[in-house]
Amino acid sequence: MTYRGVTMLKTENIKVRFAPAPTGYLHVGGARTALFNWLYARNKGGKLVLRIEDTDAVRSTEESTKAIFDSLKWLGIDWDEGPFFQSERKEIYRTYAERLLSKGFAYESEDVKGTHKAVIFRLPSSRKIVIKDIIHDDVEFDTAVFKDIVLMKSDGTAAYNFACVVDDHLMGITHIIRGDDHISNTPKQVLLYEALGFPLPNFAHVPLILGPDGSRLSKRHGATSVGQYKGEGYFNKAFVNFLALLGWAPGDNREKMSTGEIIDSFGLDRIGKKGAIFDVKKLQWLNGVYIREMALEDLTGAVIPYLESAGIVDKDTDREHVKFIVSLVQERLKTFSETPAITGFFFTKDIFYDESAVKKYLLKEGVETILGKIICGIENEERFDVENLEKCFVKIKEEMNISNSKLIHPVRVAVTGSAASPPIFETMVGIGKENCVKRLKNTLSFINDGDFPFKTQNVPPPNPIE
RNA sequence: GACCCCAUCGUCUAGUGGCCUAGGACACAGGGUUUUCAUCCCUGCAACACGGGUUCGACUCCCGUUGGGGUCGCCA
C-alpha cells in the first residue's frame, strides 16, 4: 500500500495515538487531531492509544484531564489502550536517558536548576534530516538550526520530545498523526529514534485549524474549546461531521455524512496540506440539517436543559406540551441553545413586544375591531384547536371582507409580541386559550394607552451548559 | 531574524497535463412556495496569487517572487 508514494509497512497492524497535554480544555484543533487518529484507526481496523502528556506538573491539572475525557466522550471518540499518564512513567524515561548518557549521546547540564541535573542530548553539528511525511512528502531540516535537546528536566521529569519518542516506541505506535505545529519537533525526535535504536514510525502532520483572520485558532477568535460548542447547543454528530470536513473531503461532494460513512471513506491520502479556517456559519448550517432530521423526542430531550436553565420550564412542566412546542420550532433551530429565545412566549406569563412589529401591525386603523372580534370568536369556540381557530378566522375575515393577512399579522404580534412565529393557529394552541385571550385583551389596552412593554435590547444570552 | 510549511470562488473543498468556457457545499443576492419567520425549490454571484520555464498542450510538473501561517522553552 502506498500513500503519496510512501510505502507503508504493516498496514494491517495500524496503531495510532492521541496525546494531549492536560493543561486546559480540549481545543477544536486537538479534537480534530484526535478525530483523525480515531477515524484512521477505525478505518484500518487498528488501535487508538490515549496518552496524557502530563510531564509538566505545574501546568497539568486533573480538571483538564477530566474535561478532555468528557469532550472525547461527547465526540464519540473511544480508545483501545490507555489512558497512560506520562507522570507515572518517570523511571522508564530515566532508564533510557541513562542509556543515552552512557553511550555518549547525551550529557548532564552544568548548571543545576532543580534537584536533579538535566540530561541533554548532544546534537550533531550539521546533518540533513529528511522526514518522510505522508501529507507533506519529504521535508528536510538541517540540525545546525537546532539547539541541544533536553531529555530530562532538572525536576526529574522527562521533557516532551524525549517522553514522546520513548512512549511512541514502547507503545508500538505505527503512525504519528499530529498537528503541523509539531513538524519542527520531528527531526529532533528522529535523531532520538536513531540514538535509541528505535525504528521510525510513519509521520502525518495535519494542517492547523485557523481563525477567521487566517491565523491559528485561539481564544481571541471566540469559542475554541469543544465544551463551548457543546454548551452552545451543537449536536455532537453534526460537530464531528463538520470537523471531519475541515482539511479532509471524501472527494465525491458529500457534505452530510454519518460517522460510519466518514470512517468508511477516511484516509490520510485525502487530507489537504492547507490550514483550514473554522467557519461557524457552515457549522450552524450543518447543525440545522441534523436538528431537522432528529426524532422529536430526542430533540426535546436535547433542548429541555436549555429551557430549564433559562427558567422557562421546570420539572413540573408537561413534557408533551414541551414536545409540541419543540415540534413547532424544529425547522427554525440552528442550535439547541436558541430554543429559549424563540419559544419563550409559549411558556411565560407575560410577553414583551417588538417595537417595530407593534408599529407595523398594531398601531393601524381597524386593528382594535379585529382583535375584539377575534376575542369574541375564540371565547365562543367550544374547542380551542387548529381546525376551529381556522374556522373562526375565516368567518371574521368574510364578515369584515378583509384579507387573511390583515387578520393574522396583528393577532400574531398580539399573542407572541413578535412579527415572526410558527404558523399562527398552531402557535395559538401552543399558547393556550386562556393566555391568548388575556394577551389579546392586554394588547387592546396597550393600544389605548400607548404603553406597550417593549423588549429590551439585551435578550438573555444562551445559557451554556457544560 | 533563522528554519519549515502552505497558496483554486469571501469560506470548506473537487481537480494529479488535454474531459475545466474549473464542479459541489456554506455564505451572500434575487425569485418562487408559505398568513409571518424558518424550511423547501429555482437563479445568480464569485477562484486557479504573480512571473518565468518544461510541454503540441498547464490549475495540475520545475524555478523564482509575493503573500499567509507555523516553529525556534529544563511548555507540550
Side-chain angles (χ1 to χ4, degrees):
Chain A
M1 181 141 236
T2 64
Y3 285 114
R4 295 180 195 269
V6 178
T7 305
M8 321 249 294
L9 302 170
K10 303 196 299 181
T11 43
E12 67 278 9
N13 287 321
I14 293 295
K15 201 172 184 186
V16 297
R17 71 349 182 239
F18 177 56
T23 54
Y25 297 123
L26 183 63
H27 240 247
V28 302
R32 210 258 318 241
T33 302
L35 180 63
F36 279 11
N37 273 286
W38 181 77
L39 289 170
Y40 190 57
R42 294 294 168 259
N43 174 275
K44 292 284 180 216
K47 288 186 170 166
L48 174 65
V49 175
L50 179 63
R51 185 172 74 223
I52 304 300
E53 307 216 320
D54 56 350
T55 52
D56 185 338
V58 182
R59 296 204 307 151
S60 300
T61 66
E62 243 176 77
E63 190 196 355
S64 298
T65 304
K66 194 188 165 297
I68 290 168
F69 289 168
D70 286 349
S71 290
L72 288 174
K73 187 178 178 202
W74 184 69
L75 293 165
I77 295 174
D78 56 355
W79 53 91
D80 308 291
E81 290 178 22
F84 299 110
F85 293 84
Q86 291 189 324
S87 58
E88 296 168 359
R89 298 166 61 81
K90 284 179 194 166
E91 300 73 26
I92 297 170
Y93 309 129
R94 185 99 239 156
T95 307
Y96 284 97
E98 250 135 43
R99 185 186 291 183
L100 291 179
L101 230 28
S102 69
K103 285 191 177 171
F105 284 115
Y107 59 91
E108 289 186 305
S109 70
E110 297 298 314
D111 55 321
V112 180
K113 294 177 185 173
T115 51
H116 301 253
K117 279 183 176 170
V119 179
I120 300 170
F121 184 80
R122 187 178 289 114
L123 223 54
S125 57
S126 181
R127 245 195 72 192
K128 301 261 187 259
I129 304 286
V130 177
I131 295 157
K132 297 219 171 292
D133 189 278
I134 294 170
I135 292 165
H136 295 285
D137 292 324
D138 290 2
V139 181
E140 190 177 298
F141 289 89
D142 191 323
T143 58
V145 305
F146 300 121
K147 295 189 210 154
D148 286 357
I149 307 160
V150 174
L151 267 24
M152 299 297 291
K153 296 176 274 184
S154 52
D155 64 356
T157 63
Y160 166 71
N161 283 120
F162 186 54
C164 184
V165 167
V166 170
D167 282 345
D168 282 334
H169 173 256
L170 258 25
M171 293 172 188
I173 306 302
T174 61
H175 292 70
I176 295 178
I177 304 168
R178 60 180 25 157
D180 256 351
D181 50 335
H182 281 295
I183 200 156
S184 51
N185 279 320
T186 308
K188 302 177 193 175
Q189 296 184 186
V190 166
L191 253 13
L192 299 182
Y193 275 97
E194 285 181 5
L196 257 4
F198 298 159
L200 280 179
N202 296 287
F203 292 101
H205 289 92
V206 309
L208 301 175
I209 294 179
L210 279 17
D213 63 353
S215 71
R216 193 224 260 257
L217 192 65
S218 66
K219 297 103 242 159
R220 65 173 214 280
H221 293 123
T224 54
S225 80
V226 171
Q228 279 172 288
Y229 286 93
K230 181 187 176 197
E232 285 177 19
Y234 287 91
F235 186 38
N236 54 2
K237 294 214 163 54
F239 192 75
V240 165
N241 190 163
F242 173 74
L243 225 45
L245 257 18
L246 231 44
W248 174 83
D252 53 13
N253 291 338
R254 275 179 297 170
E255 299 283 343
K256 200 228 161 205
M257 297 176 76
S258 71
T259 305
E261 288 170 326
I262 295 169
I263 289 171
D264 287 341
S265 317
F266 191 80
L268 263 19
D269 54 332
R270 292 200 64 85
I271 295 177
K273 302 180 183 190
K274 196 175 64 163
I277 291 173
F278 191 93
D279 181 6
V280 186
K281 278 271 177 51
K282 185 161 180 177
L283 207 212
Q284 286 173 345
W285 162 75
L286 196 56
N287 206 56
V289 172
Y290 275 84
I291 284 179
R292 272 169 250 134
E293 290 179 5
M294 279 177 90
L296 183 56
E297 180 58 38
D298 296 340
L299 180 58
T300 303
V303 134
I304 280 180
Y306 292 90
L307 291 170
E308 285 180 349
S309 83
I312 286 173
V313 308
D314 56 37
K315 303 285 180 211
D316 300 326
T317 311
D318 176 33
R319 193 184 169 97
E320 284 307 307
H321 181 238
V322 177
K323 225 166 125 176
F324 175 66
I325 303 306
V326 172
S327 77
L328 297 182
V329 298
Q330 180 163 17
E331 67 184 20
R332 277 153 253 262
L333 246 29
K334 292 261 183 293
T335 61
F336 303 146
S337 66
E338 39 186 42
T339 315
I342 70 170
T343 65
F345 66 82
F346 281 111
F347 302 101
T348 56
K349 200 166 261 137
D350 300 309
I351 58 169
F352 295 92
Y353 294 78
D354 183 76
E355 193 164 357
S356 63
V358 167
K359 271 197 193 128
K360 190 168 175 193
Y361 295 115
L362 257 22
L363 305 180
K364 290 280 162 76
E365 273 301 310
V367 167
E368 290 166 89
T369 319
I370 289 169
L371 296 186
K373 281 184 183 287
I374 295 286
I375 294 169
C376 270
I378 292 173
E379 284 180 328
N380 289 335
E381 288 298 340
E382 66 281 14
R383 278 192 9 263
F384 193 74
D385 58 20
V386 172
E387 204 175 278
N388 277 308
L389 277 169
E390 185 157 16
K391 267 194 250 166
C392 164
F393 272 58
V394 168
K395 211 175 120 197
I396 294 168
K397 185 187 93 170
E398 284 170 354
E399 243 173 63
M400 299 184 68
N401 193 27
I402 56 174
S403 71
N404 233 337
S405 54
K406 271 269 184 295
L407 254 189
I408 285 170
H409 291 309
V411 174
R412 170 174 287 115
V413 180
V415 299
T416 70
S418 159
S421 84
I424 190 64
F425 305 130
E426 282 84 348
T427 297
M428 291 176 78
V429 170
I431 292 168
K433 180 174 181 174
E434 196 185 324
N435 254 328
C436 279
V437 171
K438 202 182 101 194
R439 288 176 189 180
L440 257 2
K441 286 181 176 166
N442 285 346
T443 300
L444 243 21
S445 72
F446 293 145
I447 292 174
N448 277 325
D449 49 31
D451 191 24
F452 277 92
F454 288 126
K455 277 176 186 149
T456 49
Q457 282 310 82
N458 45 11
V459 181
N463 294 265
I465 297 168
E466 284 284 342

